[in-house]
């Protein structure tokens, strides 16, 4: 079973639309971290946000916002008033304490295409 | 200067060739990683080095051979690859191997095996 599920393979929107990227995770740990990374066409994954399991406060950064809900094991990402530059593949990741290596497990990614 | 630099950006090789991918990080980090990204598949962790020691080897075929001569450099030596090895190979680094550590990625090497 996947530890991080990003059910949306590809999303296509028109500029200025709001869009939400879903992320559902699975862990038995009480201490863990969740991440979102953006992979533009240039290739490198760029860190966007990190949340630990004890902090369920939602976060807003400009047009980006994140909704962390432990009750549903979800960490969703919303882009408000999307722009063409938001076109990229977005990855959700989970880092757990069990196992000892702490290396993040990535979801399959959601490809977001924003049309002008 | 970008934090994590990978060369070459593109590589085409035949199945009998030997080539190497290079990664260099300018962030003073102690851990470095190789990931493989194939179309329609999740990111696959291949190798992890922490303080120049290999700490993770995810059942990667022996035709991939990593080398970490110092904490700033990481290589992936390739020999007798198969067409299914064609993928984007990403290098990453982190400050250490601590829970919650974020990774810094390079732009990757797009490898095509003919």
């Amino acid at each position: 079973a996947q530890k991080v599920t990003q059910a949306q393979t590809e999303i296509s929107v028109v500029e200025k639309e709001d869009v939400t990227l879903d992320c559902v995770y699975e862990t038995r740990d009480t201490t863990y971290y969740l991440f979102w990374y953006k992979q533009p066409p240039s290739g490198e994954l760029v860190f966007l946000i990190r949340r630990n399991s004890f902090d369920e406060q939602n976060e807003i950064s400009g047009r980006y916002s994140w909704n962390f809900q432990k009750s549903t094991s979800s960490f969703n990402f919303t882009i408000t008033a999307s722009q063409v530059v938001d076109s990229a593949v977005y990855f959700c990741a989970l880092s757990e304490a069990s196992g000892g290596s702490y290396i993040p497990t990535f979801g399959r990614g959601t490809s977001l295409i924003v049309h002008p | 200067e970008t934090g994590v630099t990978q060369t070459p950006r593109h590589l085409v090789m035949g199945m009998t060739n030997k080539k190497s991918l290079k990664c260099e990080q300018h962030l003073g980090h102690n851990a470095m990683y190789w990931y493989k990204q194939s179309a329609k598949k999740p990111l696959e962790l291949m190798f992890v080095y922490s303080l120049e020691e290999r700490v993770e080897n995810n059942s990667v075929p022996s035709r991939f051979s990593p080398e970490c001569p110092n904490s700033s450099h990481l290589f992936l030596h390739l020999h007798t690859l198969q067409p299914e090895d064609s993928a984007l190979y990403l290098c990453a680094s982190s400050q250490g191997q601590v829970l919650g550590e974020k990774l810094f990625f390079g732009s990757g090497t797009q490898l095509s095996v003919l």
Side-chain angles (χ1 to χ4, degrees):
Chain A
Q2 287 185 48
K3 284 184 175 277
V4 179
T5 301
Q6 294 180 256
Q8 304 147 310
T9 305
E10 185 176 296
I11 301 175
S12 185
V13 299
V14 176
E15 225 176 2
K16 297 185 185 173
E17 280 186 42
D18 298 347
V19 58
T20 295
L21 310 181
D22 298 333
C23 174
V24 174
Y25 62 94
E26 182 184 324
T27 180
R28 293 183 180 181
D29 288 4
T30 54
T31 304
Y32 54 89
Y33 280 79
L34 294 160
F35 304 81
W36 276 96
Y37 286 83
K38 173 183 180 180
Q39 185 180 35
S42 54
E44 80 281 15
L45 275 78
V46 177
F47 168 82
L48 294 178
I49 191 172
R50 167 181 55 196
R51 305 298 283 176
N52 73 56
S53 51
F54 299 107
D55 183 0
E56 281 193 79
Q57 264 197 322
N58 291 330
E59 181 150 342
I60 298 174
S61 176
R63 296 183 297 106
Y64 294 173
S65 62
W66 290 270
N67 183 1
F68 178 25
Q69 291 199 338
K70 287 174 78 169
S71 60
T72 55
S73 296
S74 65
F75 185 43
N76 296 338
F77 173 28
T78 297
I79 301 175
T80 303
S82 58
Q83 299 176 2
V84 173
V85 293
D86 296 326
S87 297
V89 181
Y90 291 85
F91 291 92
C92 181
L94 166 70
S95 182
E96 304 168 278
S98 61
S101 71
Y102 307 143
I103 298 168
T105 301
F106 286 84
R108 288 177 176 262
T110 296
S111 177
L112 174 64
I113 302 167
V114 181
H115 299 280
Chain B
E1 191 176 72
T2 56
V4 180
T5 306
Q6 288 187 244
T7 54
R9 286 299 310 273
H10 302 273
L11 178 63
V12 179
M13 59 188 287
M15 289 191 283
T16 57
N17 291 159
K18 286 185 181 181
K19 295 285 184 184
S20 295
L21 310 185
K22 179 183 175 182
C23 176
E24 184 174 0
Q25 57 97 0
H26 311 277
L27 300 167
H29 288 169
N30 293 314
M32 295 187 78
Y33 309 73
W34 279 117
Y35 281 90
K36 176 183 177 182
Q37 186 178 23
S38 308
K40 312 287 184 189
K41 284 188 174 181
L43 279 167
E44 297 174 57
L45 178 68
M46 299 176 74
F47 302 103
V48 181
Y49 278 82
S50 180
L51 297 170
E52 298 150 47
E53 266 194 53
R54 192 189 308 180
V55 296
E56 192 95 11
N57 178 349
N58 265 6
S59 304
V60 179
S62 59
R63 56 186 185 268
F64 295 91
S65 173
E67 179 191 359
C68 187
N70 55 62
S71 59
S72 299
H73 293 86
L74 185 65
F75 294 89
L76 189 62
H77 304 299
L78 317 170
H79 64 97
T80 58
L81 294 192
Q82 306 297 310
E84 62 264 29
D85 297 321
S86 298
L88 179 67
Y89 288 85
L90 289 162
C91 173
S93 70
S94 65
Q95 182 66 47
Q97 269 208 286
V98 177
L99 183 64
E101 199 77 65
K102 59 185 180 185
L103 301 181
F104 292 77
F105 285 83
S107 298
T109 295
Q110 186 66 55
L111 174 67
S112 297
V113 182
L114 304 179

